[in-house]
Amino acid sequence: MDTAEAKFKESVPEKDHWKTKAPYKVHDPQDHFDVKYEASCHCGKVQFQLSRDEPLDSKLCHCTTCQTQHAAPFQWAAIFHKDDINFTHGHHDLEWYDPTSKSIEHQLPCKVRCSFCHSPIMDEGRNMILLFPSLVHLKTDEAKAKFKPRLHMFYEQRVMDIPDGLPKWSGINDDSDLIENSPPEEVKENERKREQKRKEKFAKGENK
């Protein structure tokens, strides 16, 4: 942190320190933020840019919290690093909600929305952010393909079947079971990895 940034942070009340940190910190011109995409909420008061060409992952979540929070059968989210986003307008006009404690304080993890039109902007985790691709201005088929969902998670909590051939996890992906309508080869590969981990634990004496 340079001297100017340190002084600015010192001038900001502790309760507003979130404004000086990613993902809410506005990138300076000298940061050379490489804009790949632009996005905005429904009313346009919140606008932001993305510097990553392709999300780290793209998922459809069927957990009951996402169903309730989005008033939809599932949530489509794309994962990015917190430094991949740059707010250009309205980043101080956001509101938060922590579904666990049912608090509107900024505490992680939390849901982030525009405080005017209440469009969901992202889920902010401790290390990553889950952005909603429907807000991103994807202008080409190539760009749309990069944001295409790669899997379903919490599929056991679904309210509708989606026979799209994508992997379907009962809970968090890679940490639960692949279930209905998942590609057979991926189910077999997941079972192979699970069996390998089991044997490794036995070899280390961890399964006694």
Short mmCIF file of all heavy atoms in Angstrom, two decimals, residues 23 48 50 57 97 100 102 113 117 124 130 134 136 138 172 176 178 182:
data_model
loop_
_atom_site.label_atom_id
_atom_site.label_comp_id
_atom_site.label_asym_id
_atom_site.label_seq_id
_atom_site.Cartn_x
_atom_site.Cartn_y
_atom_site.Cartn_z
N PRO A 23 -13.64 -6.13 -3.55
CA PRO A 23 -13.89 -5.75 -4.95
C PRO A 23 -14.43 -4.33 -5.14
O PRO A 23 -14.75 -3.94 -6.26
CB PRO A 23 -14.96 -6.76 -5.36
CG PRO A 23 -15.76 -6.96 -4.10
CD PRO A 23 -14.74 -6.92 -2.98
N PHE A 48 -20.09 -1.62 -13.71
CA PHE A 48 -18.76 -2.14 -13.42
C PHE A 48 -18.14 -2.77 -14.66
O PHE A 48 -18.81 -3.01 -15.66
CB PHE A 48 -18.78 -3.13 -12.26
CG PHE A 48 -19.68 -4.33 -12.45
CD1 PHE A 48 -19.21 -5.51 -13.03
CD2 PHE A 48 -21.01 -4.29 -12.04
CE1 PHE A 48 -20.03 -6.61 -13.18
CE2 PHE A 48 -21.84 -5.40 -12.19
CZ PHE A 48 -21.34 -6.56 -12.77
N LEU A 50 -15.07 -5.79 -16.07
CA LEU A 50 -14.36 -7.02 -15.73
C LEU A 50 -13.09 -7.11 -16.57
O LEU A 50 -13.10 -6.79 -17.76
CB LEU A 50 -15.25 -8.24 -16.00
CG LEU A 50 -16.53 -8.35 -15.17
CD1 LEU A 50 -17.39 -9.50 -15.67
CD2 LEU A 50 -16.20 -8.53 -13.69
N ASP A 57 -15.08 -20.14 -13.15
CA ASP A 57 -16.08 -21.19 -13.26
C ASP A 57 -17.44 -20.54 -13.48
O ASP A 57 -17.60 -19.34 -13.24
CB ASP A 57 -16.10 -22.07 -12.00
CG ASP A 57 -16.55 -23.49 -12.29
OD1 ASP A 57 -17.07 -23.74 -13.40
OD2 ASP A 57 -16.37 -24.37 -11.42
N TYR A 97 -26.78 -8.33 2.26
CA TYR A 97 -27.62 -9.19 3.09
C TYR A 97 -26.87 -10.50 3.34
O TYR A 97 -26.40 -11.13 2.38
CB TYR A 97 -28.96 -9.48 2.40
CG TYR A 97 -29.85 -10.40 3.20
CD1 TYR A 97 -30.41 -9.97 4.40
CD2 TYR A 97 -30.10 -11.70 2.78
CE1 TYR A 97 -31.21 -10.81 5.16
CE2 TYR A 97 -30.92 -12.54 3.53
CZ TYR A 97 -31.47 -12.09 4.72
OH TYR A 97 -32.26 -12.93 5.46
N THR A 100 -27.13 -16.07 6.30
CA THR A 100 -26.91 -16.91 7.48
C THR A 100 -27.41 -16.24 8.76
O THR A 100 -28.19 -16.81 9.51
CB THR A 100 -25.41 -17.25 7.63
OG1 THR A 100 -24.95 -17.90 6.44
CG2 THR A 100 -25.19 -18.19 8.82
N LYS A 102 -29.01 -13.28 8.67
CA LYS A 102 -30.12 -12.40 8.28
C LYS A 102 -29.84 -10.96 8.69
O LYS A 102 -30.71 -10.24 9.20
CB LYS A 102 -31.44 -12.91 8.86
CG LYS A 102 -31.82 -14.29 8.34
CD LYS A 102 -33.16 -14.76 8.84
CE LYS A 102 -33.50 -16.13 8.26
NZ LYS A 102 -34.80 -16.64 8.73
N ARG A 113 -26.53 -6.14 -3.63
CA ARG A 113 -27.55 -5.65 -4.56
C ARG A 113 -27.43 -4.14 -4.76
O ARG A 113 -26.83 -3.44 -3.95
CB ARG A 113 -28.96 -5.95 -4.02
CG ARG A 113 -29.31 -7.42 -3.91
CD ARG A 113 -30.68 -7.60 -3.27
NE ARG A 113 -31.06 -9.00 -3.16
CZ ARG A 113 -31.77 -9.67 -4.06
NH1 ARG A 113 -32.19 -9.03 -5.14
NH2 ARG A 113 -32.07 -10.94 -3.89
N CYS A 117 -32.62 -0.21 -7.50
CA CYS A 117 -33.52 -1.15 -8.20
C CYS A 117 -33.48 -2.54 -7.58
O CYS A 117 -34.28 -3.41 -7.94
CB CYS A 117 -33.19 -1.23 -9.68
SG CYS A 117 -31.59 -1.98 -10.06
N GLU A 124 -20.60 -11.94 -2.50
CA GLU A 124 -19.21 -11.71 -2.10
C GLU A 124 -18.80 -12.73 -1.07
O GLU A 124 -19.37 -12.81 0.02
CB GLU A 124 -19.02 -10.30 -1.54
CG GLU A 124 -17.55 -10.02 -1.19
CD GLU A 124 -17.33 -8.72 -0.46
OE1 GLU A 124 -18.32 -8.00 -0.18
OE2 GLU A 124 -16.17 -8.42 -0.14
N LEU A 130 -19.02 -14.08 -6.79
CA LEU A 130 -19.86 -14.79 -7.75
C LEU A 130 -20.74 -13.75 -8.42
O LEU A 130 -21.69 -13.23 -7.82
CB LEU A 130 -20.72 -15.85 -7.05
CG LEU A 130 -20.05 -17.16 -6.66
CD1 LEU A 130 -19.08 -16.95 -5.49
CD2 LEU A 130 -21.10 -18.20 -6.28
N SER A 134 -26.08 -12.43 -16.29
CA SER A 134 -27.16 -11.72 -16.97
C SER A 134 -26.98 -10.21 -16.91
O SER A 134 -27.63 -9.46 -17.66
CB SER A 134 -28.51 -12.12 -16.38
OG SER A 134 -28.51 -11.99 -14.97
N VAL A 136 -23.92 -8.85 -17.35
CA VAL A 136 -22.75 -8.56 -18.19
C VAL A 136 -23.19 -8.39 -19.64
O VAL A 136 -23.98 -9.17 -20.16
CB VAL A 136 -21.70 -9.69 -18.08
CG1 VAL A 136 -20.47 -9.34 -18.91
CG2 VAL A 136 -21.32 -9.91 -16.62
N LEU A 138 -22.70 -9.23 -22.85
CA LEU A 138 -22.01 -10.21 -23.68
C LEU A 138 -22.45 -10.00 -25.13
O LEU A 138 -23.56 -10.38 -25.51
CB LEU A 138 -22.34 -11.63 -23.19
CG LEU A 138 -21.97 -11.91 -21.72
CD1 LEU A 138 -22.47 -13.28 -21.30
CD2 LEU A 138 -20.47 -11.78 -21.51
N ILE A 172 -22.10 -29.13 -3.05
CA ILE A 172 -21.03 -28.35 -3.69
C ILE A 172 -20.28 -29.24 -4.65
O ILE A 172 -19.96 -30.39 -4.34
CB ILE A 172 -20.08 -27.77 -2.62
CG1 ILE A 172 -20.84 -26.77 -1.73
CG2 ILE A 172 -18.88 -27.08 -3.27
CD1 ILE A 172 -20.03 -26.22 -0.58
N SER A 176 -19.29 -33.55 -3.34
CA SER A 176 -20.55 -34.26 -3.11
C SER A 176 -20.69 -35.32 -4.20
O SER A 176 -19.72 -35.63 -4.90
CB SER A 176 -21.73 -33.28 -3.12
OG SER A 176 -21.81 -32.59 -4.35
N LEU A 178 -22.18 -36.98 -7.76
CA LEU A 178 -22.78 -36.71 -9.06
C LEU A 178 -24.04 -37.56 -9.16
O LEU A 178 -24.02 -38.76 -8.92
CB LEU A 178 -21.81 -37.08 -10.19
CG LEU A 178 -20.73 -36.02 -10.52
CD1 LEU A 178 -19.67 -36.63 -11.42
CD2 LEU A 178 -21.34 -34.80 -11.17
N SER A 182 -26.20 -36.77 -15.00
CA SER A 182 -24.80 -36.36 -15.16
C SER A 182 -24.16 -37.23 -16.23
O SER A 182 -24.51 -38.41 -16.38
CB SER A 182 -24.04 -36.51 -13.84
OG SER A 182 -24.53 -35.61 -12.87
#
